[in-house]
Amino acid sequence: MTRACSLLSGLASQGLAGKQTWRKAGLAALGITGMALAGCADQSPSAGGGVSKPVGSHKIGVLLPLSGPNAGLGHELLAGAQLAVGTNASTDPTGLQLDVHDTAAAGGASGAATAAVSAGDGLLLGPLTSGDTAVAAPAAQSAGIPVLAFTSDISQARSGVWIMGITPEDQVQRLVEQARQDGRRKFAALLPNNPLGHALGNGLQSACHDQGLAAPTIVYHSGTAASISQSLRDISNYDTRLQAAKGSSSEPAPYTPDATTADADAAKTADKLPSNLAAALGTDGSSPSPTDAPKADTPKLEAPPFDALLLGDTGLNLRNVIVALNETQINLPSVRIMGPGLWAAFATKLGAIKGAWYAAPDPSSRQAFVTRFMAVNHHMPKPLADLSYDAANVAKTVAQSGVSGYPANALTRPDGFSGVNGPFTLLPDGRVRRALGVFEVIGGGSPAKMQSAPAKASAISG
């Protein structure tokens, strides 16, 4: 087995044990913890094949860590599933009921999946992590039982195994769709050389292919300021553009970058940044320091060979990327900057890249779920409870449709399903398409503005 690193290793240690207080609805909506859980786990080869035969039972197997260090998170997800199914599940005429198995008990996720299959469960919700999904899926697939896993690791997606987390690929698909409608045709990416960066890069390649666009140019940097600067110079043909600008004018006009300075009052009231972001972006994050701007004698350069650029960094690396963007004169209107949904957590601090886009659910969509969850459980739901509610709602919706078991054509129905953060559709290959909005960074300490709304509003039934 090969060892895979976390998509968000910096968040994993905080999210897994349930010790981190989640305050941002944007993070909750994006399933950030699910991305963190996608890696740092043994990746086992999975059995081939999908849902080979319909299973008549509407009993739902739930695979979660209900003991050990992640028990708190496991019970939170169980509460989300229970909320979707309802309190009268045991007497439901469809036979809908939850059959819960502890993936932290002896036998692990593989043993839990085998027990669920033996119990006659018709659908499995979970497991939680990418590694657990890899070892649990084969038993379910051999029995023709579909799996709705809570990881965001797209490598685990296959026929019969759906990835419920909001993936980097899903975000990029939405961004490319919107950018294409905006007239952008030439895409590039400057991304960190880590699992998240490669997930975004793979998503950009797929999105451009799916939408009939030319293959994007993608470079991965090593994380140093020098690597970021040189990579962006290379991808933007900086030296060629600079020579062309110098040759076209004996007295070049000085370049003045688009500087967006946050309002002082807004900066005072803005949410406090984590320490690494504060160090990276400064007090209000509105712009790099004056020493980071291009030199006064740098001529105005022509546009680079792309009109949309995908980034994937946060923290200090994002600050270094912003410096490099100024140095190479990459900004609107010639280039639309795009980034990961992680930016939702600190969008008020990104004035230096005013006009940048990221894709995320509409945060207002989650309120109905939060209200219902708090009424039953008396505390705010953690982010991954969104995913377990969605997965259980799929099971409930299919069971109430009158079909026997959970056949693939019922799970992949074109109308999709209602979710906490908006509607979503299960695709035959194990991917999940969610209705994401596109948000634009406004600057001045203001929250990002929804530039393009999701296709439909979410519907959480009472």
Side-chain angles (χ1 to χ4, degrees), residues 299-375:
K300 177 71 174 179
L301 306 184
E302 64 183 16
F306 50 82
D307 53 20
L309 177 67
L310 177 66
L311 306 177
D313 284 291
T314 61
L316 179 60
N317 281 351
L318 179 56
R319 190 263 190 189
N320 290 333
V321 169
I322 291 172
V323 172
L325 290 172
N326 281 334
E327 289 175 345
T328 54
Q329 298 185 28
I330 297 175
N331 50 28
L332 284 172
S334 59
V335 177
R336 174 71 66 182
I337 302 298
M338 306 182 299
L342 292 169
W343 286 0
F346 51 95
T348 59
K349 316 299 178 182
L350 294 176
I353 47 176
K354 178 181 178 181
W357 287 351
Y358 62 85
D362 180 353
S364 65
S365 298
R366 192 173 187 255
Q367 189 54 52
F369 168 72
V370 170
T371 300
R372 288 191 61 211
F373 189 97
M374 290 184 67

Side-chain angles (χ1 to χ4, degrees), residues 51-77:
V51 182
S52 57
K53 61 180 181 295
V55 178
S57 172
H58 281 149
K59 189 165 67 168
I60 307 165
V62 181
L63 311 184
L64 289 170
L66 301 175
S67 59
N70 296 325
L73 187 56
H75 283 281
E76 188 83 349
L77 271 78

Side-chain angles (χ1 to χ4, degrees), residues 32-421:
I32 298 304
T33 310
M35 294 173 66
L37 292 168
C40 291
D42 290 332
Q43 303 294 297
S44 304
S46 60
V51 182
S52 57
K53 61 180 181 295
V55 178
S57 172
H58 281 149
K59 189 165 67 168
I60 307 165
V62 181
L63 311 184
L64 289 170
L66 301 175
S67 59
N70 296 325
L73 187 56
H75 283 281
E76 188 83 349
L77 271 78
L78 179 58
Q82 290 170 332
L83 186 65
V85 170
T87 56
N88 297 320
S90 60
T91 59
D92 191 298
T94 63
L96 192 67
Q97 57 181 293
L98 298 181
D99 177 34
V100 183
H101 299 270
D102 185 2
T103 57
S110 177
T114 299
V117 170
S118 299
D121 297 343
L123 175 72
L124 301 188
L125 309 186
L128 182 58
T129 67
S130 174
D132 279 355
T133 301
V135 299
Q141 289 190 285
S142 295
I145 299 174
V147 177
L148 304 182
F150 301 135
T151 179
S152 293
D153 182 3
I154 198 67
S155 71
Q156 295 302 324
R158 60 187 68 94
S159 178
V161 181
W162 282 272
I163 304 306
M164 295 299 293
I166 300 178
T167 65
E169 182 217 30
D170 210 17
Q171 297 171 39
V172 175
Q173 282 278 358
R174 183 69 179 91
L175 288 170
V176 171
E177 175 187 34
Q178 188 61 36
R180 181 176 56 82
Q181 292 175 6
D182 193 45
R184 310 287 167 169
R185 293 292 182 271
K186 297 174 289 185
F187 288 77
L190 173 68
L191 301 167
N193 188 19
N194 60 27
L196 174 59
H198 284 278
L200 289 166
N202 292 339
L204 183 60
Q205 289 180 322
S206 297
C208 289
H209 177 270
D210 293 347
Q211 299 184 41
L213 298 166
T217 302
I218 302 174
V219 295
Y220 298 94
H221 64 75
S222 65
T224 66
S227 171
I228 289 170
S229 178
Q230 188 59 54
S231 296
L232 195 54
R233 284 171 177 257
D234 292 343
I235 199 174
S236 68
N237 291 344
Y238 176 77
D239 291 339
T240 300
R241 293 160 60 218
L242 181 61
Q243 284 300 114
K246 287 181 175 179
S248 64
S249 174
S250 59
E251 191 174 348
Y255 167 67
T256 303
D258 291 335
T260 304
T261 304
D263 180 81
D265 292 335
K268 291 178 182 178
T269 59
D271 292 341
K272 185 178 179 182
L273 279 170
S275 58
N276 64 324
L277 290 174
L281 299 177
T283 302
D284 61 14
S286 59
S287 64
S289 64
T291 57
D292 299 329
K295 296 179 181 179
D297 59 352
T298 302
K300 177 71 174 179
L301 306 184
E302 64 183 16
F306 50 82
D307 53 20
L309 177 67
L310 177 66
L311 306 177
D313 284 291
T314 61
L316 179 60
N317 281 351
L318 179 56
R319 190 263 190 189
N320 290 333
V321 169
I322 291 172
V323 172
L325 290 172
N326 281 334
E327 289 175 345
T328 54
Q329 298 185 28
I330 297 175
N331 50 28
L332 284 172
S334 59
V335 177
R336 174 71 66 182
I337 302 298
M338 306 182 299
L342 292 169
W343 286 0
F346 51 95
T348 59
K349 316 299 178 182
L350 294 176
I353 47 176
K354 178 181 178 181
W357 287 351
Y358 62 85
D362 180 353
S364 65
S365 298
R366 192 173 187 255
Q367 189 54 52
F369 168 72
V370 170
T371 300
R372 288 191 61 211
F373 189 97
M374 290 184 67
V376 174
N377 299 287
H378 311 295
H379 67 270
M380 285 283 290
K382 290 186 171 123
L384 286 182
D386 300 16
L387 303 183
S388 60
Y389 181 99
D390 285 356
N393 191 50
V394 169
K396 182 177 181 179
T397 302
V398 172
Q400 291 178 342
S401 71
V403 301
S404 175
Y406 297 95
N409 63 345
L411 293 169
T412 59
R413 64 182 198 170
D415 290 343
F417 301 90
S418 296
V420 170
N421 297 297

